[in-house]
Amino acid sequence: MTTTATTLKGQPLEKPVLDALLRRRMFYTPSFEIYNGVGGLYDYGPPGCALQTNIVDLWRKHFVLEEDMLEVDCTVLTPHEVLKTSGHVDKFADWMCKDPKNGDILRADHFVESVLEARLNGNKEARGQKVDEKDDPKKKKKKAKSEAVVLDDAVVAEYEEVLARIDNYDGPQLGELIKKYQLKNPDTGEMPSEPVQFNLMFQTSIGPSSNMRGYLRPETAQGQFLNFAKLLAFNQGQMPFASASIGKSYRNEISPRAGLLRVREFLMAEIEHFVDPQGGKKHSRFHEVEKVELVFLDRETQLSGKTETRKLAVGGAVKEGLVDNETLGYFLARIHLFLQKIGVDLTKMRFRQHMQNEMAHYACDCWDAELLTTSGWVECVGCADRSAYDLSVHAKKTGAPLVVRERLDEPITTTVWQVDIEKKKFGPQFKKDAKAVEDALLATTQEQRESMSRQLADTGKTTLEVAGVADGKVDIKSDSVKIEFRDKVENTKEYTPNVIEPSFGIGRILYALIEHNFWTRASDGGDEARGVLSFPPTVAPTKVLLVPLSSNPQFKPVVKKLSQTLRRLGVSSRVDDSSASIGKRYSRNDELGTPLGVTVDFQTLRDGTMTLRDRDSTTQVRAAEDKILLAIQSLVDGTKDWAAITSELPKFEGQEA
Amino acid sequence: MTTTATTLKGQPLEKPVLDALLRRRMFYTPSFEIYNGVGGLYDYGPPGCALQTNIVDLWRKHFVLEEDMLEVDCTVLTPHEVLKTSGHVDKFADWMCKDPKNGDILRADHFVESVLEARLNGNKEARGQKVDEKDDPKKKKKKAKSEAVVLDDAVVAEYEEVLARIDNYDGPQLGELIKKYQLKNPDTGEMPSEPVQFNLMFQTSIGPSSNMRGYLRPETAQGQFLNFAKLLAFNQGQMPFASASIGKSYRNEISPRAGLLRVREFLMAEIEHFVDPQGGKKHSRFHEVEKVELVFLDRETQLSGKTETRKLAVGGAVKEGLVDNETLGYFLARIHLFLQKIGVDLTKMRFRQHMQNEMAHYACDCWDAELLTTSGWVECVGCADRSAYDLSVHAKKTGAPLVVRERLDEPITTTVWQVDIEKKKFGPQFKKDAKAVEDALLATTQEQRESMSRQLADTGKTTLEVAGVADGKVDIKSDSVKIEFRDKVENTKEYTPNVIEPSFGIGRILYALIEHNFWTRASDGGDEARGVLSFPPTVAPTKVLLVPLSSNPQFKPVVKKLSQTLRRLGVSSRVDDSSASIGKRYSRNDELGTPLGVTVDFQTLRDGTMTLRDRDSTTQVRAAEDKILLAIQSLVDGTKDWAAITSELPKFEGQEA
């Protein structure tokens, strides 16, 4: 597969070289590898785990602490009923088909897409046209090999139309396409079976009696929705507010890819921002971000088959209606600022709007923050407007009042048809059914009331449908019920909040961040190029490498003390006192993304000075311990950069190989 | 249930009062409560979640960063084969029986225990003896109601013997006890069914074809073991070293208790310390902790039916053999120091040694750090010596070399029987079986070699058993094989490390911590007592409460700026600008465990001073903003206590109600 991806130094990004580095330095590794592994499951080794922890830590500061969000930690195990109500049991599924020969399971849409694309490429090859690796925003296709066969122009047009609408087909339609175009699995030459629906949730049963079906949650959101009433109370009834959650979610992918981009178990960080749908979803802090410029790829552009983006301040984007409202715009900008802070390459980031038919069943609008990787543009953060969908369905199912009741600053007066019941007469009239009749009466619409009122005035009675009472109809009489058109004063309003949901896939962000910070440096000795991961100090797995010049025992206490001091300062460091050359040891830590290195040498023993090395430039300064420590602190907390340090402390050119 | 638990002020600890506080302040809440909840599943609300995050954060600093442990993050989903090998599929189970009348599922050992104890208590009652609520180290029993019935002395002795050995019975034996003593479910009066084994792991299937069985991990340890070889390489081959992991684990408890003490989904933090079993498992930093005094409850004391503890420095405990080795002792002390740091009441902590029959299938020794709560002594941290069990079984199953190969400082010379094969002749003799015969030859024991050598010398040939070759026996001849007794020099040694595993149940620690820090304060107005949670500032969910005196808009910018400054300093704060009185607002935050409060009043607007309030004493000081901020910082990072602050800054007695 050719790729046009480049490193942050403009070099071609060679994925195999990066993959070898990540494996060698144990950033992540296939889970259960000594048992031959399981697709879509990865373990993070020490640097990957530290990188993940630092990203999560920054996320919590940037979002939760900055905005006083209410962080919760809900369970992964979720009973059937909850996910039935949320729509996941019925709709969180992909269509899959089976190869009759080798039993391979294929995701139906990916299969149709890949075979048709292979045919189109084969056609281009046969006609001597350039086969372009067009970037695929959804990265779904498993590549099928193309054969150089000329196709009719009409067929090409037909295939292209199918591909443009690939997200629109349901299973039976995909099955028809497979039959119509005789699409065969390139691995076996067989046509796969009729597509069947496969729910992506992992199922289990809870408790010893095996009769409580449950799932591993596919998102952290549901736990937040179910706790809405308690969270609102905790927030002392004040709106708007946001809850947040960081935790694992699970999707039983049909064919997970190699790597961290499509996995079955993954860490998510999700925010549910609850807002009054009335008043245009304004945000009180929107002015703080309105000048932030974002790169947009909107729905219309995509519909016209293009991928051109527009750079626009988020204030302007909301004004012109590209982004629906301030709250959505506020979070897009905050997402941008977060990704920038952790070290994402801003030239490899865009916000893509979901197509109407591509959105999850609960969403009414959605923008993805996509990051460009060697696998194309990858959705790393979704920012969806879930409207009142989830709170409404759960409230309806359980009867829990997942609503906000707010005192109105000014009472609202409306003139409406109102029902008055004289209980003393009404009760004896309906006896045990009185409550049911009353409920039915109060549930009538304005139109019904108007006509009932007329009948009562005309005939002294009217009929009302009441399910389960008598034959389903009862007589209402004017002696116990009055229906009048008159003023009604409301002091409170009640509404179901809408939800804006920024949802972060931490693993995908982590992987894209690695690619965005990877480059190679020609080695001094003319050996092969050495890899460097230029993470910002804030997210780097380890901040400082401590290297004694040699294994001389005199260095040990100095290094140990330094390491303790750094720990007290909250700066993570590692000692490498192996027998490798200093150059080799630095090189190893360049691959680990360690931004700073301190060398303790014989001069340190004499005068207490030590050298500090910058990973990216490999230049060094030399100074007394206290100055070096101050320099490290200011570099790690971001108050100074390396240029500032080199202007303050004397340069050193010495031991490094 | 009576309890003798007291608060840290010596008051009787009223659990219902505490429970109401925890519910009111949303520390945690039953998951899916609007769907009527699911037993054993709890969500953490904002203060519980922040408390958990702070405990985990301190844990990571205290263990992972302090000792350069290799933190990994492995998947929860685990394939069948791995847990089959580890022994969990066969042994990680409880015996359960079913009530034939109401279908209740009962844990067999708990059932037998509770009914026999009820009878013994009934006997005491009938004889007018005091029924003591003896503390139950394993907190397993569901209490059955006792009836005052006199028992024969012989029967009492028999019951007591059964109870003392309750952990020794397997399912069929428990079934016999139920029949023999006619044990009936007090809820129905029925004798439950024969016990059947119930595996405690949640099962699921991975992938679309449903044929890969998997489980949710019951512990984080297995992922660490499977990655051992990679971790050793990452550590540049150096031993000893430790890996660590923080993550969710799952146990499908038969009858989970109310509260956080026995749940089905829980956060664990586990360390696997890999050490050479030769040389007595010394620890290079043991001297740093040897004077730490621990409270021990050893195996012998428990065997004699007692619960008396001994306080002893860990150095002495290792010396006298109470604690098996330095590494185990080191971790016991480190666990003690960690629990002390987060605010556990040291008078409610002990280290209890597991009984031989009580240990998990993989452990050869185990000490639990137990914390005293209103539910008795609760195991919160286990510290087990898992020996080489796990690495050995996985290596055997997969063939992966989960061993350490170390260069010896000095070569070791031993005189042993050695086999020399002359390949040129040996190969043609055995042809395709040559490899199998060679393997069998090299696998012979020293004794076998000695006798084979004699036969070769005497008769020129000997026989060797080789499975699968010819009839299972082959002739070995002296022309191609020589067996000699001579010196062998070894430069490297190879061994399977032993594992010391400190394993922390974060939820249980969190709950015990809450109980240990709870007390009530008589309210000024003579209302009911108000709850206080005196968490140390380091773990407190929020460090500072900011309260403007009133809703006067002049206070808003001051409070906002203060809140931003604190955020920049990394100190979490919350603003309470509700209309409640200052006293009420402080009171709410005492319940949340917020250690400090800052009030902004009219004097602040005039001279920039503000008051700082200490949660535990409710005393206040008043000073300029910069001094207050410095005081907050030193209190939060633990460099000063409140006494020091009051000696530095002027006392204030003012607005508080």
Side-chain angles (χ1 to χ4, degrees), chain A residues 3-14:
Chain A
T3 166
T4 51
T6 52
T7 71
L8 83 166
K9 302 285 178 186
Q11 309 153 317
L13 201 164
E14 289 178 58

Side-chain angles (χ1 to χ4, degrees), chain B residues 239-307:
Chain B
M239 287 285 293
F241 75 94
S243 61
S245 195
I246 303 167
K248 291 269 183 87
S249 292
Y250 294 80
R251 296 183 187 182
N252 200 0
E253 296 287 348
I254 294 175
S255 45
R257 298 299 167 87
L260 298 184
L261 297 181
R262 188 174 294 278
V263 293
R264 288 174 167 153
E265 173 172 334
F266 49 96
L267 189 66
M268 287 182 109
E270 290 191 307
I271 294 163
E272 311 298 331
H273 180 88
F274 300 97
V275 59
D276 185 349
Q278 271 194 349
K281 303 183 189 173
K282 297 268 178 209
H283 196 288
S284 66
R285 295 179 68 171
F286 187 66
H287 64 278
E288 295 178 28
V289 301
E290 62 186 354
K291 294 204 172 66
V292 175
E293 290 197 321
L294 306 181
V295 173
F296 293 102
L297 172 57
D298 64 27
R299 197 175 283 156
E300 281 66 41
T301 308
Q302 295 170 71
L303 272 177
S304 67
K306 295 189 183 124
T307 56

